[in-house]
Amino acid sequence: DAGVTQSPTHLIKTRGQHVTLRCSPISGHKSVSWYQQVLGQGPQFIFQYYEKEERGRGNFPDRFSARQFPNYSSELNVNALLLGDSALYLCASSLEGQGPSYSPLHFGNGTRLTVT
Amino acid sequence: AQSVTQLGSHVSVSEGALVLLRCNYSSSVPPYLFWYVQYPNQGLQLLLKYTTGATLVKGINGFEAEFKKSETSFHLTKPSAHMSDAAEYFCAVSGAGYALNFGKGTSLLVTP
């Protein structure tokens, strides 16, 4: 079975631009979460979506937004990119939407975003 | 709020030696604790998790961790290190919410 797939794998953008990252969950998984991992740090929670609805949001500015589609895939959008947005963006899927304590997260390999 | 602190950003062990990676947690509610491993240019893989019940948790690849409430610790161990264990290890905690709160990670180096 295919795991969580993310595209693209690498991306270079300029400050002020907009970026869209994509994620396809494991087949049968209904929930998608997004995490940001800055170099040398642990991942930080951005969003969780379940059945197309936002269930949780981390401490990120409104420049960050996401959505989930009927096939449970998801997009993460970041507007007005800053140098500090350079990071590995990880998508994780889970069967249900209760949170990682009840429904384990399965991570993709991430999208490496570089903002210049 | 829940948080974890990983003691030691880098740990080096010889092949065949004991691996001990330290994690202390802070939580206002009963914590759910996790260890993840990240190999270069890859995502995170769950090694093991503690929810409730038995305090000694066995995971994949020969790793195990013990939940010690009195010490607020959840240290990861493996009796004998293998070269393939070299990776970044993350401790994480969650409560009833939707977020996993990760530590800063410990890089494990295994020398021949």
Side-chain angles (χ1 to χ4, degrees), chain A residues 1-108:
Chain A
D1 285 343
V4 177
T5 57
Q6 294 186 242
S7 63
T9 55
H10 295 82
L11 200 53
I12 299 175
K13 290 286 189 178
T14 304
R15 276 179 298 175
Q17 286 188 318
H18 163 271
V19 69
T20 298
L21 311 180
R22 294 177 175 83
C23 172
S24 293
I26 292 171
S27 178
H29 285 196
K30 299 177 181 178
S31 179
V32 168
S33 300
W34 288 95
Y35 285 77
Q36 181 196 64
Q37 186 179 14
V38 173
L39 195 62
Q41 301 291 321
Q44 282 202 300
F45 174 70
I46 310 176
F47 290 110
Q48 186 196 21
Y49 274 77
Y50 176 68
E51 294 282 10
K52 298 183 291 181
E53 291 190 2
E54 182 182 302
R55 284 295 189 91
R57 183 186 182 110
N59 187 24
F60 280 80
D62 291 343
R63 300 185 296 108
F64 288 76
S65 64
R67 54 179 176 168
Q68 186 177 31
F69 299 99
N71 66 353
Y72 303 112
S73 66
S74 177
E75 284 182 353
L76 175 69
N77 295 284
V78 187
N79 291 325
L81 284 166
L82 304 174
L83 294 179
D85 295 331
S86 295
L88 180 67
Y89 288 85
L90 295 165
C91 174
S93 73
S94 56
L95 270 173
E96 301 293 342
Q98 302 99 320
S101 300
Y102 309 101
S103 191
L105 299 183
H106 300 261
F107 284 86

Side-chain angles (χ1 to χ4, degrees), chain B residues 29-100:
Chain B
V29 298
Y32 294 84
L33 294 159
F34 307 78
W35 276 99
Y36 282 84
V37 61
Q38 186 176 36
Y39 298 100
N41 300 315
Q42 292 189 24
L44 299 165
Q45 181 182 12
L46 179 65
L47 282 174
L48 50 82
K49 66 176 181 179
Y50 168 79
T51 52
T52 58
T55 57
L56 183 62
V57 181
K58 294 187 183 300
I60 62 171
N61 301 339
F63 285 95
E64 62 182 35
E66 187 171 9
F67 173 69
K68 291 187 176 180
K69 185 177 179 181
S70 61
E71 299 177 8
T72 61
S73 69
F74 190 59
H75 301 332
L76 182 71
T77 60
K78 181 174 180 177
S80 177
H82 192 273
M83 296 296 289
S84 61
D85 294 327
E88 191 83 13
Y89 290 81
F90 292 95
C91 181
V93 63
S94 74
Y98 299 102
L100 265 180

